[in-house]
Amino acid sequence: MDDTAVDSSTHIEEIAGVEDFADQARRRAETEREAVEWAIDELERVIAEQGVDLEPMLEYAHRSRESLPDRHRRAYETMAEVFDVDRDVYDVYALAYAELCEELAEGTGRSEKNPMGCTNALVHPSTVASSQAVDTYSTTGPLVLKNRDIAGRGTRPKSIIEQPPIDDYYGFLAVDTCGTISIFNGVNDQGLVAANTYIDCEREDVDPEANLRNGTVIRTLLEECASVDEARAQLESYPTRRLSGQTLFLADATDAALLEVDPVTERITADDDPVVTRTNHFVHSPSTQSESSTERRTRALELLESMDRFDRDELWSLARDHANGPGDRSICRHPEPETDEPHAFGQLTTASTAIFEGGSPVVEVGMGNPCTAERTRCVFGEAIPADLRTGQRWLERLH
């Protein structure tokens, strides 16, 4: 029997049977349990070997947890109850993983201060239409590409996360880390797409309890907004100083926006170009810039400018590009040789690729590096391969 097969009727009944956020979190935790417990056990081993003191990270994680909406906090606590793991390590895994990677990184392989990355691109609907796209699926809405680059990807399993509508909140599809409540890219059942890239830009005078985590912002927009206009209005309703630095990509069936969110200057700046790409620095505001971020964006611009059409196939070719690499400075980022093997705690490497179309509750995803990953199309409300829901496809590709 094909272990990736899913009985559609069972899947739909499972989704429809979810009553609240705790129930959804419990179902998801049970689905992802094997991958999460493996990752936490492996982290516990490495932490013990290196003698890492978790207390400072635990303090940050616990304070940061206070910034979560009540429904997300309930989901988090429910998942924690399901997993048979060390609770302190789980809290750090879920809420202070970047800080943990800083402690576990070995040698001189680090090229950026924070273990954050990503290369994103956005093609507005007018450009998609004029390019007469000829990819596998017809394209009418704006397209959003996200290469999810992270440190320590060896202990950060990825899965397809499907959350049904709950109460008055929209359901969504996302590609993100097993066993966590943060979402950094997804599309909801109304066809609103939201994805971001991290910028090292935060206010020192905003405590973790008040700082709205990037993954919280993305998830909240997907749960509460049906259009780009609604998402922009909601984002602007937050005090900008409480947000983390990021570039935010939004798309629906007819509209798209790229927003640079700068909490230091308390500005949100829109980029209205028909085709835009961002890495990990601001273009319209001052910010830190690494060689990797600069070179990845320059290369992405070169590729986009050379394209005579914009469709999923062309965006996949961008995601797979190895110019300047295929190490830290390329768009498709691989661990540098002999650095932090096997988990690459000190390397920013590509863990997943996702392409979304505004107005369509669908994601086309590849787990691991896009240069070798299998492209799979997942549709909200339809059966999703079991190995994508559990994180097993990610584990099999990287281990």
Side-chain angles (χ1 to χ4, degrees):
M1 179 179 178
D2 181 0
D3 64 0
T4 67
V6 181
D7 182 275
S8 296
S9 60
T10 301
H11 177 72
I12 297 303
E13 290 171 4
E14 223 178 42
I15 294 297
V18 170
E19 296 181 354
D20 55 35
F21 282 89
D23 188 28
Q24 157 66 10
R26 186 175 298 106
R27 182 183 67 86
R28 181 184 161 200
E30 291 169 350
T31 299
E32 301 171 353
R33 181 170 182 168
E34 183 177 346
V36 173
E37 292 183 355
W38 173 85
I40 302 299
D41 288 347
E42 185 68 5
L43 282 173
E44 187 176 5
R45 179 186 65 79
V46 177
I47 288 167
E49 286 179 353
Q50 296 194 23
V52 173
D53 180 11
L54 292 184
E55 285 305 316
M57 289 167 272
L58 278 171
E59 179 185 0
Y60 171 77
H62 294 160
R63 294 178 66 188
S64 183
R65 185 172 58 197
E66 297 305 308
S67 71
L68 300 175
D70 288 343
R71 64 184 187 275
H72 295 175
R73 196 178 303 117
R74 290 197 304 272
Y76 178 77
E77 294 297 335
T78 302
M79 284 197 291
E81 292 171 1
V82 172
F83 301 132
D84 183 18
V85 296
D86 182 286
R87 178 59 191 262
D88 286 350
V89 178
Y90 174 67
D91 283 349
V92 171
Y93 165 85
L95 295 169
Y97 189 75
E99 291 73 17
L100 177 61
C101 285
E102 293 281 350
E103 294 295 323
L104 295 177
E106 298 177 349
T108 58
R110 299 304 298 275
S111 60
E112 300 182 46
K113 177 183 176 182
N114 292 285
M116 302 289 180
C118 299
T119 301
N120 288 15
L122 169 65
V123 181
H124 283 249
S126 59
T127 307
V128 172
S130 64
S131 70
Q132 298 179 341
V134 293
D135 61 345
T136 306
Y137 312 108
S138 61
T139 303
T140 58
L143 295 175
V144 176
L145 161 72
K146 181 176 179 68
N147 264 18
R148 180 89 159 95
D149 299 341
I150 60 172
R153 72 171 184 176
T155 53
R156 203 69 164 161
K158 296 286 182 287
S159 66
I160 295 292
I161 300 165
E162 183 177 35
Q163 178 169 297
I166 300 173
D167 297 330
D168 294 328
Y169 298 102
Y170 300 120
F172 63 78
L173 273 179
V175 186
D176 234 299
T177 303
C178 296
T180 63
I181 35 76
S182 296
I183 301 296
F184 296 94
N185 63 106
V187 59
N188 68 16
D189 56 12
Q190 306 301 298
L192 174 69
V193 176
N196 80 332
T197 67
Y198 173 83
I199 311 293
D200 181 16
C201 177
E202 294 187 2
R203 295 186 64 111
E204 296 181 356
D205 59 347
V206 176
D207 294 331
E209 296 90 338
N211 187 65
L212 291 171
R213 298 169 65 95
N214 285 356
T216 299
V217 170
I218 296 288
R219 180 171 176 173
T220 301
L221 294 180
L222 292 174
E223 290 173 339
E224 299 182 13
C225 302
S227 68
V228 169
D229 283 347
E230 288 184 16
R232 292 184 69 165
Q234 177 148 320
L235 187 71
E236 290 166 359
S237 72
Y238 301 133
T240 306
R241 66 196 306 272
R242 292 181 54 204
L243 301 173
S244 297
Q246 62 183 301
T247 55
L248 180 60
F249 293 68
L250 300 170
D252 59 28
T254 59
D255 194 12
L258 182 284
L259 307 176
E260 292 191 355
V261 181
D262 183 350
V264 173
T265 62
E266 300 188 60
R267 292 192 308 172
I268 298 177
T269 307
D271 188 327
D272 297 323
D273 289 343
V275 181
V276 291
T277 184
R278 288 293 189 276
T279 48
N280 305 106
H281 63 274
F282 290 134
V283 173
H284 298 298
S285 298
S287 70
T288 58
Q289 294 189 35
S290 68
E291 291 182 3
S292 167
S293 184
T294 302
E295 291 190 16
R296 282 182 290 120
R297 183 170 184 271
T298 298
R299 175 58 178 167
L301 285 171
E302 291 174 355
L303 291 171
L304 290 167
E305 289 171 358
S306 70
M307 293 178 183
D308 56 6
R309 70 174 191 271
F310 297 97
D311 55 38
R312 292 179 182 84
D313 290 339
E314 293 300 311
L315 290 182
W316 272 101
S317 70
L318 187 155
R320 293 167 170 158
D321 187 72
H322 287 155
N324 307 315
D328 182 63
R329 297 182 182 182
S330 65
I331 293 172
C332 181
R333 304 170 84 175
H334 295 245
E336 299 285 358
E338 301 180 0
T339 304
D340 292 338
E341 293 296 342
H343 300 311
F345 292 115
Q347 290 283 286
L348 293 140
T349 53
T350 306
S352 64
T353 296
I355 294 180
F356 303 93
E357 178 185 348
S360 179
V362 177
V363 59
E364 190 171 282
V365 63
M367 294 299 186
N369 285 100
C371 58
T372 56
E374 175 186 352
R375 292 164 59 175
T376 303
R377 186 172 185 259
C378 299
V379 182
F380 184 87
E382 295 185 6
I384 295 172
D387 64 343
L388 283 177
R389 291 187 295 118
T390 62
Q392 287 302 314
R393 185 178 300 189
W394 183 95
L395 289 174
E396 289 168 2
R397 290 200 59 81
L398 284 115
H399 299 289

